[in-house]
């Protein structure tokens, strides 16, 4: 009876193994990012973020029909999640506007890696951090490398991603289904709106741009965030982190296949370094209590 009142979407996700939910979310978000980058010439990076978050908020509100009757602690969590979501996406798309998708996600992934090794005093975790550092040096140090503004935006997005992981777990424990996510997405959309309007203006109202923004919202926000939130309810954060370690590699492949972004051999090695470091750091983390 505990699941009798769940919406059909929630029941559907409940029947999918959490590992599959995470992997589906990874592919969806990176394909969505590749499509989003193609919108930059029309709506700009900030305009594309705004379209994505506004559309995602509308879809999630329709699906989950959230209520504002929440206790103060939950409201703070929802507002924090929304703010982190907006900041993470604005910084990431600004990075994506300047450097390849695979490179942006690889650098951004230092945020989750920092969460995995935070507070550790074991020498092995130092090895993983060193390996990740080697990866970033390889990524940025090759001849004709990356724009430093793009690197800095990716690092800022990584810091937001670290906060996102922590807040997501809290949101999942304080809300049911996707109701909290829907409200948080509204908060994120409101925060991003001034940046989008200032960047793209009326270009965001073009029917073709709106349709493209809707597709990006589904692939980059609605689908992956919903899947991740459901997965985190059913698996330890450590296992979630191991699976998410595949994100830089998937991003590099998506950038190659969908955007024609060819990374150099040293940059592919850099992606591998960060992926291995993330898997190693997450696997060697203390078991979840």
């Amino acid at each position: 009876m505990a699941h009798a009142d769940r919406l059909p979407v929630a029941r559907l996700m409940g029947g999918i193994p959490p590992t599959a939910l995470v992997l589906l979310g990874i592919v969806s978000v990176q394909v969505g990012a590749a499509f989003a980058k193609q919108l930059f010439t029309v709506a700009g990076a900030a305009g594309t973020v705004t379209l994505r978050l506004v559309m995602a908020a509308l879809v999630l509100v329709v699906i989950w029909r959230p209520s504002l009757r929440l206790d103060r602690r939950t409201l703070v969590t929802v507002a924090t999640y929304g703010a982190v979501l907006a900041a993470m996406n604005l910084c990431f798309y600004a990075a994506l506007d300047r450097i390849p998708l695979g490179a942006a996600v690889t650098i951004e992934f230092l945020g989750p890696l920092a969460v995995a090794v935070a507070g550790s005093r074991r020498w092995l975790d130092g090895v993983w951090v060193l390996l990740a550092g080697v990866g970033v040096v390889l990524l940025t140090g090759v001849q004709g490398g990356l724009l430093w503004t793009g690197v800095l935006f990716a690092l800022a997005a990584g810091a937001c991603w670290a906060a996102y992981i922590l807040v997501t777990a809290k949101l999942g424990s304080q809300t049911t289904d996707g109701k909290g996510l829907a409200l948080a997405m509204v908060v994120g959309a409101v925060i991003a709106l001034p940046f989008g309007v200032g960047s793209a203006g009326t270009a965001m109202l073009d029917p073709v741009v709106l349709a493209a923004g809707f597709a990006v919202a589904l692939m980059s926000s609605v689908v992956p965030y919903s899947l991740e939130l459901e997965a985190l309810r059913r698996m330890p954060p450590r296992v979630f982190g191991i699976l998410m370690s595949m994100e830089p590699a998937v991003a590099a492949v998506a950038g190659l296949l969908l955007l024609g972004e060819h990374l150099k051999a040293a940059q592919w090695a850099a992606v591998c370094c960060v992926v291995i470091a993330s898997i190693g750091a997450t696997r060697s983390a203390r078991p979840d209590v």
Side-chain angles (χ1 to χ4, degrees), residues 25 33 42 59 67 84 95 106 123 125 130 144 172 183 203 216 224-225 237 254:
V42 179
V59 171
S67 171
V84 168
T106 300
W123 67 269
D125 286 328
L130 181 62
L183 290 175
V216 170
Y225 293 157

Side-chain angles (χ1 to χ4, degrees), residues 106-119:
T106 300
I107 295 170
E108 184 192 27
F109 213 80
L110 295 179
L113 180 60
V115 173
V117 301

Side-chain angles (χ1 to χ4, degrees), residues 32-289:
F35 281 123
K37 188 164 184 173
Q38 299 178 52
L39 269 179
F40 288 0
T41 55
V42 179
T48 303
V49 171
T50 302
L51 279 172
R52 168 183 165 178
L53 294 182
V54 169
M55 293 289 190
L58 291 174
V59 171
L60 288 171
V61 167
V62 170
I63 291 175
W64 297 110
R65 301 189 297 275
S67 171
L68 291 175
R69 295 179 180 177
L70 302 174
D71 60 80
R72 184 174 179 180
R73 183 170 67 99
T74 304
L75 281 173
V76 170
T77 300
V78 166
T80 302
Y81 186 100
V84 168
L85 208 56
M88 179 174 68
N89 283 290
L90 285 167
C91 289
F92 176 67
Y93 275 40
L96 198 57
D97 196 25
R98 294 164 172 83
I99 59 179
L101 173 59
V105 173
T106 300
I107 295 170
E108 184 192 27
F109 213 80
L110 295 179
L113 180 60
V115 173
V117 301
S120 174
R121 295 182 179 179
R122 295 179 301 177
W123 67 269
L124 186 58
D125 286 328
V127 172
W128 302 131
V129 171
L130 181 62
L131 183 60
V134 170
V136 173
V137 170
L138 284 173
L139 196 61
T140 59
V142 297
Q143 186 176 5
L146 308 176
L147 285 175
W148 278 103
T149 50
V151 172
L152 291 175
F153 274 120
L155 287 172
C160 293
W161 196 353
Y164 165 78
I165 292 173
L166 300 176
V167 179
T168 297
K170 184 179 293 187
L171 183 71
S173 67
Q174 294 178 3
T175 61
T176 59
D177 296 329
K179 292 179 172 59
L181 175 62
L183 290 175
M185 194 67 70
V186 172
V187 173
V190 170
I191 292 173
L193 193 58
F195 296 95
V197 172
S199 171
T202 57
M204 291 192 299
L205 300 179
D206 182 279
V208 175
V209 174
L210 286 173
F214 181 74
V216 170
L218 289 179
M219 289 185 291
S220 296
S221 293
V222 176
V223 171
Y225 293 157
S226 298
L227 295 178
E228 289 172 12
L229 195 62
E230 178 65 22
L232 275 168
R233 290 193 178 102
R234 295 158 50 195
M235 67 166 52
R238 181 169 61 91
V239 178
F240 178 82
I242 292 172
L243 294 172
M244 290 295 290
S245 299
M246 298 305 299
E247 193 108 35
V250 175
V253 173
L256 175 64
L257 297 179
L258 300 177
L259 298 172
E261 295 178 339
H262 296 269
L263 298 181
K264 298 179 181 179
Q267 293 175 319
W268 279 106
V271 172
C272 292
C273 284
V274 173
V275 168
I276 293 169
S278 179
I279 293 174
T282 310
R283 281 182 60 87
S284 63
R286 289 180 301 172
D288 300 276
V289 178

